[in-house]
Amino acid sequence: MKDKDKEKNNSKYKIIYTIIIIVIIILIGILGYILINNNKNSTDTTIAYTDLIKKIDNNEVKKIEMTVGSTTLKVNLNDDDKDYKTIIPSTQAFIELIQQKVQDGKQIDLIQNDQNVVLVIMDRIFTFMPTAILIILIILIVKMQGLGDKGKVYDAATSNTKTTFDDVAGLDEEKTELYEIVHFLKNPEKYIKMGAKIPRGVLLCGKPGTGKTLIARAIAGEANVPFISMSGSEFIEMFAGLGASRVRKLFEKAKKMAPCIIFIDEIDAIGSRRTNAMGAETENNQTLNQLLVEMDGFEVNETIIILAATNRPEMLDQALLRPGRFDRQITISTPDIKGREEILKIHARGKNISSEVDLRDIAGDTAGFTGAELSNILNEAAITATRNGHVEILHSDIEEAVKKVTVGLEKTSRIISEKDKKLTAYHEAGHAIVSKFLPTQEDVKEVSIIPRGHAGGYTMYKTVEDKYYISKTEMEERLITLLGGRAAEKIALNDISTGAGSDIQVATQIAKDMIEVYGMSETVGPLFLKNENTYESPILGENIENVVGQEVKKLIDNAYNKAQSILKENMNLLDKIANELLMKEKISGEEFEQFFKN
Ligand code: ADP
Ligand code: ZN
C-alpha cells in the first residue's frame, strides 16, 4: 500500500525535478554573470578570532555570516554598521564552538536566513563557485521535498482499493476497541450532542510489520473517510522551520478534509530524536511543539482522529501522552498461531494456491513471525513455485519459503526451534503448575510460549488489589514459583538452560531482601544489613557476610526442592500442559484451570 502512494507521487516529482533542473541552469548562468562582475567589493576591517569570541560572550555581536567551506567570517557588531572580517580555523570548528555556546545557554540562533544574532549563512557564495552550486542544489532538493507536499492522502471514499477490517486478520480485541472510532467518524453529531469527549489521538504500539498502518487504513476504510499519512522521519529536516510548517500544513489539509484520519508513522522520530547535527535538536522541538499546539487547538466539533505508530512508546516525550493528545494506547503484538493462520489465509486470497496446502501447519512453523513476514512468505512461495515450474503453489513451496525467510531471521534470533519451544513450554508450565499449588500465589491469567522482548515465553498472573504487607510465607512461595521454571526443565528434560536466568536473579534478590532488609531469617534476626559499608554486626561480628550468604542459599535451596517435589507429584499435568502449550502456544487462565478439574 505504501508503495502505491509513492508511485502516485512519483510522476509529480518528475515534473518538479525537470523544473528544478531548468532553474538550476538559469541560476548557474546568473551566478557566473555575478561572479564576473562582482570582484572584491568591500575592504573590511579585521577582528582577531579571540576578540570575536569575547564579543560573542559579551553579547556585542549582532550577526555573523559565514560561507560554508571558507575560513573567513563577516561580522556585524551591535553598535556600528561596519563589516568586520575574522579568520577562523575551519567552518566545522566554528560551528562546533557556536553549538557549545548554545548548549551552555547562550541565546544564539543558528539559522540560514537573516534574523537576529548569529547566523551561519552562505553569504558571498560567489567567491566559491563549486561549493555555491552544491549548496544551492542541496537547498533546492530540500525545498523540493517541501514542494512535494509530503502528506499522502489516500481517499477511502473514492478509492476502489479500500482497506477494511476484513483485510486485517486476527487482532479481534484491537478491532473491537477501534471500532468505536469508526462509529464516531460516521456519526460525529450523535457524540457531540451527547457531550461525549472523543479520543483525539490513539497510539498504536508494536513491532514493525505487525499491521499498525494496515489497521489505521482499515479504520479510514470502514468509516469511509480520507486517510492522510505521514512518517515522523519526514518531519525532521535540516532546515529550520520546515518540520513545524509541515505539521501545520498537514493539519490544515486535514481540517479541510474532515472528517478524516491523520496517521503519523514512526512518531518517535519527532518525540525523541536527539542528534548533534546543526540545529536539528531545536528543529525537532519546534516540530514536536507544533504537533502539540495543533492537537490542543482542535474544536470539539472537528472530527479528526490522529493515529500514531511507534515501536518504542517509552521513548516518547511525556507531553505527547497527556489527556487530549495520545491518551490511548493500543499494543499490537505478534500474532498467535490462530492469528497467523488467518493472516496467511488473507494473503493467500489472490494467489494460485493448491488445495493440498495446509496453512494451519505453516502457521505452526512460524512462531514469532509478524504479519508482514507472513505475507512475505507467501510471496516468496509464489516465486519459488514459479521457479520450480509448478502450476500451483504447493505446500512444499511454502515450506521452502519459510526456510528461506527463517535463515534470514535466525540472525535476529526471532525464530524458535522445536527444541527451544519444548523447553519453553515445560519451563512456563512449571511456573504455572507450581503456583497453582501454593495458596498465597495469584491465579494464572495466561501462559504463553510466544517470545516477548527478551523472554522466550511468559506466565502472567491475575493481579489482585494492592497490598501493603507481604508475609514471609508469601515470599517463600514466590521463590518456589520463580524456581518452578528451572525445576520443570530439570525434571522433564533432564537438562537445564539459560532460560531461567532472570528467574534466578529475581529469586536471589528476593531472598537477600528477606534476610538483609526484612529480618526474616531466624539465624540473623531482625537486622537491617543492606547497603552497609561494613558487614559487621554486634552479634555476628565479621562473619555476617558468610551467614547471610548461607541463609540466602538455604532459602533458595528449599524453594527449588519444593518446586521439584510439586512437579514430580504432578508429572502427568506437566506433560499435558506443556503439550497443550506446544500446540496452542498460548493458553488462557480458564483453559489452564480446566486441567485441574476432573
Ligand atoms: P506496521 O505499520 O506495523 O509496520 P504494516 O501495517 O505496514 O505494519 O504491515 C505491513 C504488511 O503486513 C501489511 O500491508 C499486510 O500486508 C501485512 N500484515 C500485517 N499485519 C497483518 C494482519 N493482521 N492481517 C493481514 N495482513 C497483515
Ligand atoms: Zn521463567
Side-chain angles (χ1 to χ4, degrees):
M1 288 297 195
K2 281 177 187 165
D3 291 338
K4 239 177 230 166
D5 286 330
K6 271 180 199 142
E7 274 164 34
K8 242 192 243 166
N9 274 354
N10 259 354
S11 58
K12 202 158 94 188
Y13 271 68
K14 264 182 206 150
I15 299 169
I16 296 169
Y17 251 119
T18 324
I19 296 173
I20 277 160
I21 302 276
I22 295 169
V23 171
I24 290 172
I25 294 170
I26 296 172
L27 271 179
I28 292 174
I30 297 173
L31 283 177
Y33 179 82
I34 294 174
L35 177 67
I36 294 161
N37 292 283
N38 191 49
N39 289 334
K40 307 213 172 59
N41 54 356
S42 61
T43 45
D44 310 320
T45 337
T46 309
I47 310 188
Y49 186 53
T50 46
D51 284 343
L52 173 67
I53 309 298
K54 260 185 230 148
K55 286 190 190 300
I56 293 174
D57 288 337
N58 295 337
N59 295 327
E60 289 172 32
V61 178
K62 188 158 78 187
K63 194 161 105 181
I64 298 178
E65 292 176 31
M66 183 176 71
T67 309
V68 174
S70 137
T71 51
T72 45
L73 297 177
K74 190 176 112 185
V75 180
N76 292 115
L77 297 181
N78 280 337
D79 45 358
D80 63 28
D81 288 336
K82 263 204 311 213
D83 286 353
Y84 293 91
K85 232 167 68 181
T86 308
I87 310 291
I88 53 168
S90 76
T91 321
Q92 190 53 36
F94 184 69
I95 289 175
E96 276 166 18
L97 179 109
I98 295 296
Q99 276 176 335
Q100 188 53 51
K101 299 219 177 285
V102 174
Q103 266 172 21
D104 292 345
K106 240 186 147 37
Q107 284 292 321
I108 299 177
D109 286 333
L110 274 171
I111 45 172
Q112 281 82 37
N113 45 14
D114 304 270
Q115 262 176 38
N116 38 24
V117 200
V118 174
L119 104 148
V120 180
I121 196 171
M122 300 76 183
D123 193 81
R124 282 195 231 156
I125 216 155
F126 319 120
T127 55
F128 206 47
M129 251 338 234
T131 324
I133 292 171
L134 203 73
I135 289 166
I136 288 172
L137 267 174
I138 292 169
I139 292 173
L140 283 175
I141 286 165
V142 172
K143 287 275 186 240
M144 184 194 75
Q145 285 181 326
L147 274 176
D149 196 11
K150 286 206 163 176
K152 290 158 209 145
V153 181
Y154 166 91
D155 195 346
T158 56
S159 175
N160 45 9
T161 53
K162 189 168 111 169
T163 308
T164 66
F165 279 165
D166 285 342
D167 298 309
V168 186
L171 302 176
D172 293 332
E173 282 151 40
E174 290 82 354
K175 278 197 255 183
T176 315
E177 194 168 348
L178 291 166
Y179 197 79
E180 214 172 87
I181 291 174
V182 174
H183 194 258
F184 164 68
L185 285 167
K186 278 180 160 169
N187 319 278
E189 334 74 42
K190 282 190 193 167
Y191 286 83
I192 293 161
K193 236 163 89 195
M194 201 64 79
K197 231 181 171 175
I198 298 304
R200 185 54 72 198
V202 180
L203 195 62
L204 304 171
C205 311
K207 283 208 300 197
T210 43
K212 299 184 292 297
T213 313
L214 184 73
I215 206 162
R217 266 181 208 287
I219 294 171
E222 290 283 338
N224 238 333
V225 301
F227 178 79
I228 307 173
S229 84
M230 201 147 163
S231 169
S233 59
E234 291 173 71
F235 289 114
I236 306 300
E237 298 290 345
M238 263 304 285
F239 288 80
L242 260 187
S245 89
R246 254 184 207 156
V247 171
R248 206 161 39 234
K249 279 190 199 141
L250 180 72
F251 279 80
E252 263 168 30
K253 185 153 81 186
K255 280 178 186 169
K256 278 186 208 133
M257 298 182 122
C260 69
I261 282 186
I262 297 179
F263 178 66
I264 305 174
D265 205 356
E266 305 171 45
I267 190 156
D268 37 287
I270 307 174
S272 62
R273 186 168 172 263
R274 287 279 181 277
T275 68
N276 288 324
M278 185 177 90
E281 191 168 326
T282 34
E283 161 70 1
N284 192 25
N285 290 341
Q286 275 180 27
T287 312
L288 178 62
N289 285 341
Q290 190 64 38
L291 180 63
L292 298 176
V293 165
E294 297 288 351
M295 287 191 82
D296 293 345
F298 276 123
E299 307 287 334
V300 242
N301 56 0
E302 251 158 346
T303 38
I304 298 175
I305 302 266
I306 305 145
L307 300 167
T310 181
N311 190 25
R312 300 172 293 176
E314 70 288 346
M315 300 269 292
L316 290 182
D317 196 305
Q318 285 305 305
L320 272 172
L321 308 178
R322 293 215 188 102
R325 296 170 183 168
F326 293 102
D327 49 9
R328 275 214 198 176
Q329 284 196 22
I330 295 183
T331 303
I332 304 200
S333 31
T334 44
D336 59 8
I337 190 163
K338 197 167 137 269
R340 292 200 298 274
E341 188 183 353
E342 283 171 25
I343 293 174
L344 286 166
K345 270 191 195 146
I346 280 189
H347 290 280
R349 271 185 203 160
K351 297 196 169 62
N352 191 4
I353 291 202
S354 160
S355 55
E356 56 116 24
V357 167
D358 180 1
L359 290 178
R360 191 175 174 86
D361 183 61
I362 303 291
D365 289 344
T366 46
F369 279 54
T370 63
E373 284 160 347
L374 292 169
S375 136
N376 184 25
I377 280 178
L378 286 186
N379 196 46
E380 280 292 334
I383 294 170
T384 310
T386 316
R387 208 185 38 231
N388 291 345
H390 299 156
V391 277
E392 294 173 317
I393 301 171
L394 305 179
H395 196 81
S396 60
D397 293 323
I398 305 182
E399 281 183 331
E400 204 178 318
V402 171
K403 252 179 247 154
K404 204 164 146 189
V405 175
T406 308
V407 175
L409 286 177
E410 241 165 15
K411 270 181 250 139
T412 61
S413 73
R414 255 188 286 170
I415 188 68
I416 313 132
S417 70
E418 282 306 310
K419 192 166 154 269
D420 282 354
K421 250 170 120 172
K422 191 169 171 191
L423 188 111
T424 313
Y426 273 97
H427 179 109
E428 297 307 331
H431 281 305
I433 293 168
V434 164
S435 74
K436 177 78 186 157
F437 287 93
L438 301 168
T440 66
Q441 298 299 292
E442 260 102 57
D443 289 341
V444 169
K445 189 173 165 204
E446 187 176 280
V447 191
S448 159
I449 59 167
I450 301 170
R452 200 188 236 203
H454 292 297
Y458 56 89
T459 302
M460 238 154 48
Y461 298 92
K462 290 182 183 153
T463 40
V464 252
E465 77 286 4
D466 283 339
K467 282 182 254 184
Y468 282 116
Y469 304 114
I470 307 174
S471 72
K472 182 178 175 187
T473 314
E474 195 171 343
M475 285 179 112
E476 282 170 345
E477 294 192 346
R478 174 106 176 91
L479 295 181
I480 303 171
T481 305
L482 277 165
L483 293 165
R486 162 58 59 92
E489 291 178 26
K490 176 89 179 91
I491 291 168
L493 309 169
N494 195 25
D495 197 4
I496 50 179
S497 78
T498 56
S502 70
D503 295 335
I504 291 174
Q505 196 184 338
V506 175
T508 310
Q509 194 56 54
I510 293 176
K512 274 186 83 174
D513 284 349
M514 287 172 74
I515 293 153
E516 295 177 352
V517 182
Y518 304 114
M520 286 176 176
S521 148
E522 299 271 338
T523 321
V524 178
L527 293 176
F528 181 80
L529 300 165
K530 203 168 182 176
N531 298 332
E532 302 273 292
N533 290 336
T534 50
Y535 258 127
E536 204 171 312
S537 98
I539 313 153
L540 296 155
E542 287 173 23
N543 234 352
I544 191 147
E545 202 162 350
N546 261 333
V547 179
V548 169
Q550 277 162 14
E551 288 293 287
V552 170
K553 186 160 162 44
K554 211 155 87 190
L555 278 173
I556 297 284
D557 282 349
N558 282 343
Y560 188 46
N561 289 336
K562 179 82 186 149
Q564 290 196 67
S565 67
I566 293 176
L567 290 174
K568 273 183 191 148
E569 280 164 32
N570 295 281
M571 267 314 276
N572 210 354
L573 270 172
L574 182 62
D575 284 331
K576 267 200 218 153
I577 293 175
N579 280 326
E580 181 84 354
L581 272 171
L582 279 170
M583 228 160 59
K584 285 194 173 162
E585 292 179 1
K586 200 189 225 174
I587 56 177
S588 68
E590 290 73 49
E591 288 167 316
F592 176 75
E593 293 298 329
Q594 285 305 319
F595 285 95
F596 296 86
K597 287 179 192 148
N598 36 32

